[in-house]
């Protein structure tokens, strides 16, 4: 697969994911993830090194399948997530999308991101930023899905709460 084609696939998925999160289109957002998708935000061990094993070390968020993300959505929809009442307004921006290893059915990519948010509970804006590491996989139906998303959260001084829609 040519690099330009791989980059276009990655960009399309990343831009759609950000838009679905900003619009709180949870079902469309979840549909971008493979059933066995891993969603991980490692914690920082020191100024330059993050944890590397979510099973043995601290993570800010870790879900080892899409079921964990589905449970978060269910808690938001049923208003059982106190930290998400009301949800912040967000704007996701993704740039510097670089495909790495590319095969017929998988693409590894890195990118940089910024999420601007407004928390109506405290009437304050905030911003998170960092890098993404993704594994995209082509499914049996030919569509591409997110198989793994690792979020390297550069500014981990969290003002109120951190959830999947903030990153």
């Amino acid at each position: 697969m040519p690099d330009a084609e791989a980059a276009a696939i990655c960009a399309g998925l990343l831009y759609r994911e950000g838009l679905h999160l900003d619009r709180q289109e949870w079902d469309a957002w979840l549909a971008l993830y493979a059933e066995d998708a891993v969603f991980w935000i490692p914690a920082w061990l020191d100024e330059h090194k993050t944890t590397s094993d979510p099973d043995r070390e601290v993570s800010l968020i870790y879900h080892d399948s899409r079921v964990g993300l589905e449970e978060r959505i269910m808690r938001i929809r049923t208003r059982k997530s106190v930290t998400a009442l009301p949800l912040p307004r967000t704007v996701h921006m993704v740039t510097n999308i670089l495909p790495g290893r590319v095969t017929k059915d998988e693409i590894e990519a890195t990118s940089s991101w910024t999420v601007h948010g407004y928390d109506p509970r405290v009437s304050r804006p905030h911003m998170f930023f960092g890098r993404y590491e993704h594994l995209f996989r082509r499914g049996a139906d030919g569509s591409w899905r997110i198989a793994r998303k690792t979020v390297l959260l550069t500014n981990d001084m969290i003002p109120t709460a951190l959830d999947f829609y903030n990153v």
Side-chain angles (χ1 to χ4, degrees):
M1 173 186 315
D3 284 350
E5 182 180 349
I9 291 166
C10 297
L13 284 164
L14 291 168
Y15 297 158
R16 270 196 304 278
E17 181 181 32
L19 184 62
H20 292 319
L21 287 168
D22 293 342
R23 291 180 174 173
Q24 301 176 6
E25 298 168 340
W26 307 129
D27 291 332
W29 175 72
L30 280 171
L32 296 174
Y33 281 80
E35 293 287 332
D36 62 345
V38 172
F39 185 100
W40 182 37
I41 306 177
W44 288 94
L45 288 171
D46 59 32
E47 294 303 315
H48 303 285
K49 185 176 178 184
T50 62
T51 57
S52 59
D53 184 348
D55 293 325
R56 297 182 325 152
E57 297 173 301
V58 174
S59 298
L60 299 177
I61 297 177
Y62 177 64
H63 297 290
D64 63 357
S65 74
R66 194 172 80 179
V67 170
L69 298 173
E70 292 168 351
E71 289 174 356
R72 286 297 306 144
I73 298 298
M74 182 274 302
R75 291 182 58 78
I76 289 170
R77 285 184 168 147
T78 59
R79 304 181 62 81
K80 291 181 178 172
S81 177
V82 176
T83 60
L85 292 173
L87 283 168
R89 300 175 204 141
T90 61
V91 176
H92 286 71
M93 291 179 253
V94 181
T95 186
N96 297 343
I97 301 166
L98 294 172
R101 185 183 66 84
V102 177
T103 69
K104 179 176 151 256
D105 296 318
E106 289 188 343
I107 303 169
E108 288 182 347
T110 64
S111 57
S112 300
W113 60 271
T114 302
V115 176
H116 293 266
Y118 177 77
D119 187 342
R121 292 175 298 177
V122 293
S123 300
R124 285 185 151 166
H126 61 268
M127 181 174 60
F128 293 110
F129 51 90
R131 286 184 291 117
Y132 291 140
E133 296 174 355
H134 276 94
L135 172 65
F136 302 108
R137 186 183 318 129
R138 187 190 322 253
D141 64 354
S143 63
W144 289 88
R145 299 269 190 285
I146 299 168
R148 184 183 68 236
K149 178 178 182 177
T150 302
V151 180
L152 301 171
L153 179 62
T154 302
N155 61 328
D156 60 341
M157 294 298 292
I158 300 164
T160 54
L162 177 71
D163 213 324
F164 66 89
Y165 47 77
N166 296 116
V167 294

